[in-house]
Amino acid sequence: MGRIVVISTGGTIASRWQGSGFAADADGREVMATAPLPEGVTVEVVDLFSVNSPRLTTAHQLTLLRTVHEVLADPGVDGIVVTHGTDTLEESAFLVDLHHHDPRTVVFTGAQLPMGTEGGDGPGNLYDALLTAATTRGLGVLVAFAGRVHAARGTVKTQTVAHDAFADPSGEWVGKVGFGKVTVLRQPQRPEPLALPDLPQVPPRVDMVMHHVDADPLLFRAAVEAGARGVVLVATGAGNATPEFVEAVAEATARGVLVALTTRVPAGPVTEIYTQGGAVDLVAAGAVPTGTLRAGQARAAVLAALLASDDRGRREQVLGAVLGDTAAEAPRPLVDA
């Protein structure tokens, strides 16, 4: 069925007991040795790094992005599987998807239980990912986990320890795996892919700040003063904060900081409904609503826009293009006469 390259980056799927807890220390060949291969699939392994995914940096992610492109430069490769820790898998997968312009499939997978654990999910997830990479085309970057196939865009970790850890709270699966075949249920909507960015000596800083009861913009302003070139405001509801945050956003955007507006609510779009510090005012102050993208992927979108151009206006255009139809406005609530 095909020649698949597995890029190993660590995570629980490569983790073993360290005396006080689990940590990634197995290489890709050891991880591959735990899983059966789909019939007709041959595998080559690239050991990129082996870290727990909360320790990943932007530099790690950009190295992974370039490695994916280098592997696909070989026309004899039929697809790629990336083994990755689940904590930040949604961010890496989306960043790769934003720059993926090849019909061959890149599939991210991982595990919730460490390697060698009785009843562990890693081998099954890896088998499903290999099968998906070998038998699908034109779907962009995917996440294969617990028998389900998800689009990278919108898919987040929704369970801390359960096997079925990933979902798109605002969307449906792309497909499912069972009985040795992948059934594709829908075609993911993807914007025009971005060009592969140069590797900066120092990646741009992009921070996230959450709104909550009694929150003030102290941490938002601290991020800007610390040198953040992008900030994701994780607001409440459909994208709401306070007039004080509106003032801080206006200050930041006037300085050329790219501000994205998302929400801490699991599903549904950021929507311009409320004023007095709500999304109406935040967007007017220069914040870009991210639709159904949540915090980690909103940050990846801002990062991609910052890497795409040094021009402020062009960055805003890129961010808008990356967000695409996800920023569509939801119906406004009914108000009694």
Side-chain angles (χ1 to χ4, degrees), residues 50 80 82:
S50 185
I80 292 177
V82 179

Side-chain angles (χ1 to χ4, degrees), residues 34-46:
T34 68
L37 295 183
E39 185 177 355
V41 169
T42 61
V43 168
E44 298 170 21
V45 176
V46 174

Side-chain angles (χ1 to χ4, degrees), residues 87-254:
D87 284 4
T88 57
L89 183 152
E90 65 201 56
E91 298 174 50
S92 297
F94 183 58
L95 184 64
V96 173
D97 188 55
L98 289 176
H99 300 86
H100 186 59
H101 53 72
D102 195 289
R104 290 168 291 180
T105 305
V106 177
V107 186
F108 279 68
T109 196
Q112 291 285 74
L113 293 176
M115 66 182 304
T117 304
E118 184 177 356
D121 57 332
N125 287 341
L126 186 48
Y127 176 93
D128 289 352
L130 291 167
L131 186 64
T132 303
T135 59
T136 62
R137 290 290 183 274
L139 300 176
V141 177
L142 305 174
V143 177
F145 222 91
R148 297 176 182 176
V149 180
H150 308 276
R153 185 187 194 96
T155 295
V156 297
K157 188 172 184 181
T158 58
Q159 296 285 342
T160 56
V161 295
H163 283 202
D164 190 6
F166 287 90
D168 179 351
S170 299
E172 302 294 333
W173 317 336
V174 167
K176 57 185 179 180
V177 186
F179 302 102
K181 65 177 292 187
V182 179
T183 302
V184 176
L185 302 174
R186 70 176 180 92
Q187 182 78 27
Q189 291 188 345
R190 303 172 62 233
E192 188 69 23
L194 301 174
L196 185 66
D198 295 329
L199 283 179
Q201 288 188 338
V202 179
R205 177 174 183 142
V206 183
D207 288 322
M208 298 190 292
V209 177
M210 180 177 284
H211 179 53
H212 53 83
V213 170
D214 281 340
D216 63 34
L218 173 67
L219 296 179
F220 186 98
R221 288 194 170 103
V224 174
E225 293 304 319
R229 293 164 62 191
V231 180
V232 178
L233 176 58
V234 185
T236 55
N240 307 307
T242 66
E244 291 76 19
F245 270 98
V246 173
E247 182 180 348
V249 167
E251 293 169 359
T253 55

Side-chain angles (χ1 to χ4, degrees), residues 8-28:
S8 177
T9 70
T12 299
I13 197 170
S15 290
R16 289 186 283 229
W17 183 251
Q18 306 296 316
S20 60
F22 291 92
D25 72 352
D27 64 28

Side-chain angles (χ1 to χ4, degrees), residues 38-94:
E39 185 177 355
V41 169
T42 61
V43 168
E44 298 170 21
V45 176
V46 174
D47 275 306
L48 197 57
F49 32 79
S50 185
V51 297
N52 294 352
S53 69
R55 294 177 54 206
L56 283 183
T57 64
T58 297
H60 281 120
Q61 291 181 315
L62 294 177
T63 299
L64 172 59
L65 174 61
R66 295 196 73 86
T67 301
V68 167
H69 281 247
E70 289 166 2
V71 169
L72 291 176
D74 181 350
V77 171
D78 295 297
I80 292 177
V81 168
V82 179
T83 57
H84 197 289
T86 58
D87 284 4
T88 57
L89 183 152
E90 65 201 56
E91 298 174 50
S92 297
F94 183 58

